C-alpha cells in the first residue's frame, strides 16, 4: 500500500509538467521565428512537434489516473520563457541572438530533464510501469534536444564571436543557411 501523499506529490509534479509543456507549445514558435540560423529554427520547429506529443503522453497518464491535468502553473517555466523573451528584446544581431536563444532553450531542456527524471523515478516506485515508459520516452527526447543544441551552439557561438569582432564588419554578411538580418529589410 503506497503512501497517499506520495501519490499526490507524483500527480502534482505531473501537473506542473503539463503546465510547463503547454507554455512551451506557445513559446517555441516565437523562438523559432526569432532564430536566424535555419538549422536552429528547424530544430525549434521539430521540438515543437515533439512537445505536442509530450503533452499527449501526459494526457494519457492523467486519463489512466482518472485525474485532471489542469490546476497547476509551472512558475519555473514561466520564468524561463520570460528570460527567453528578454533576450529576443535585446538588440542582438543574428548569430549573437541565436547564441542567446540556444542558451535560453538549454535552460528549458535542463529543467525538463530534471522534472521528467523525477516523475519517472516516482512512477517506478509507484509501480506505474506504463507511465514510466511514457515518461522515459519524453525524457530521452529532452536529452536528445539538449545534445543537439550543444552541437549547434559550437558552430553558432563561433559565428557570434566573429560577428562581434570590432574590425570584422561582418555583421551584415549573410552566411549560408542564415537568413538576412532583419534590420537590412
Ligand atoms: Fe518537453
Ligand atoms: Fe515547475
Ligand atoms: Fe523540451
Amino acid at each position: 500500500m503506497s503512501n497517499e501523499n506520495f501519490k499526490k506529490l507524483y500527480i502534482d509534479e505531473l501537473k506542473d509538467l503539463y503546465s510547463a509543456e503547454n507554455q512551451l507549445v506557445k513559446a517555441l514558435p516565437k523562438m523559432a521565428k526569432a532564430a536566424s540560423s535555419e538549422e536552429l529554427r528547424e530544430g525549434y520547429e521539430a521540438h515543437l512537434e515533439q512537445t505536442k506529443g509530450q503533452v499527449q503522453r501526459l494526457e494519457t497518464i492523467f486519463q489512466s489516473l482518472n485525474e485532471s491535468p489542469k490546476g497547476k502553473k509551472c512558475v519555473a517555466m514561466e520564468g524561463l520563457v520570460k528570460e527567453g523573451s528578454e533576450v529576443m528584446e535585446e538588440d542582438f544581431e543574428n548569430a549573437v541572438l541565436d547564441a542567446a536563444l540556444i542558451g535560453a532553450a538549454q535552460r528549458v531542456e535542463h529543467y525538463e530533464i530534471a522534472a521528467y527524471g523525477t516523475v519517472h523515478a516516482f512512477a517506478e516506485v509507484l509501480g506505474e510501469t506504463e507511465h514510466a515508459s511514457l515518461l522515459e520516452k519524453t525524457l530521452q527526447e529532452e536529452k536528445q534536444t539538449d545534445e543537439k543544441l550543444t552541437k549547434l551552439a559550437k558552430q553558432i557561438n563561433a559565428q557570434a564571436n566573429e560577428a562581434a569582432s570590432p574590425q570584422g564588419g561582418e555583421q551584415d554578411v549573410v552566411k549560408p543557411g542564415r537568413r538576412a538580418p532583419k534590420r537590412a529589410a
Side-chain angles (χ1 to χ4, degrees), residues 21 24 28 47 51 54 108-109 112 141-142 145:
E21 296 289 16
L24 290 170
L28 283 167
H47 197 52
T51 300
Q54 295 170 353
V108 167
E109 296 314 312
E112 293 185 291
E141 287 174 356
E142 311 297 19
T145 301

Side-chain angles (χ1 to χ4, degrees), residues 172 180-185:
D172 293 326
K182 275 188 210 92
R183 61 201 162 91

Side-chain angles (χ1 to χ4, degrees), residues 1 8 79 99-100 109-110 127 133 142-143 149 170:
M1 181 72 194
K8 185 187 176 295
E109 296 314 312
H110 281 233
S133 86
E142 311 297 19
K143 285 183 180 171
L149 287 165
E170 284 186 52

Side-chain angles (χ1 to χ4, degrees), residues 70-82:
K70 293 185 181 153
K72 207 170 182 291
K73 177 163 210 173
C74 179
V75 291
M77 192 56 72
E78 192 180 28
L80 291 172
V81 167
K82 217 176 258 176

Side-chain angles (χ1 to χ4, degrees), residues 1-183:
M1 181 72 194
S2 58
N3 183 334
E4 277 309 303
N5 278 329
F6 185 57
K7 183 87 180 272
K8 185 187 176 295
L9 172 65
Y10 174 58
I11 292 166
D12 280 353
E13 299 244 342
L14 289 170
K15 286 186 184 203
D16 187 80
L17 271 167
Y18 187 74
S19 160
E21 296 289 16
N22 278 298
Q23 290 183 55
L24 290 170
V25 169
K26 284 189 197 151
L28 283 167
K30 292 175 197 163
M31 294 180 85
K33 220 178 148 195
S36 73
S37 151
E38 242 159 73
E39 213 180 331
L40 181 59
R41 180 167 43 82
E42 283 165 12
Y44 281 129
E45 284 164 358
H47 197 52
L48 171 64
E49 290 318 303
Q50 273 185 332
T51 300
K52 289 176 184 168
Q54 295 170 353
V55 168
Q56 283 176 356
R57 283 188 197 123
L58 289 170
E59 283 169 352
T60 303
I61 291 173
F62 279 104
Q63 271 164 21
S64 94
L65 287 164
N66 248 320
E67 293 277 346
S68 162
K70 293 185 181 153
K72 207 170 182 291
K73 177 163 210 173
C74 179
V75 291
M77 192 56 72
E78 192 180 28
L80 291 172
V81 167
K82 217 176 258 176
E83 287 192 2
S85 327
E86 275 174 17
V87 303
M88 287 189 253
E89 282 160 21
E90 294 281 344
D91 204 15
F92 291 140
E93 71 272 19
N94 48 32
V96 178
L97 176 61
D98 283 354
L101 288 171
I102 290 176
Q106 286 198 284
R107 282 170 174 81
V108 167
E109 296 314 312
H110 281 233
Y111 179 82
E112 293 185 291
I113 290 165
Y116 277 104
T118 298
V119 287
H120 176 262
F122 287 1
E124 282 194 325
V125 169
L126 288 162
E128 298 280 11
T129 49
E130 286 295 312
H131 299 187
S133 86
L134 288 168
L135 296 168
E136 172 66 23
K137 278 184 197 155
T138 297
L139 180 58
Q140 290 312 318
E141 287 174 356
E142 311 297 19
K143 285 183 180 171
Q144 282 159 11
T145 301
D146 181 52
E147 281 163 22
K148 276 187 205 161
L149 287 165
T150 297
K151 271 191 202 147
L152 203 49
K154 284 211 176 103
Q155 173 196 322
I156 285 175
N157 291 345
Q159 289 175 0
N161 189 38
E162 265 176 54
S165 146
Q167 307 97 324
E170 284 186 52
Q171 287 97 323
D172 293 326
V173 175
V174 181
K175 302 247 163 69
R178 188 170 282 288
R179 290 180 288 169
K182 275 188 210 92
R183 61 201 162 91

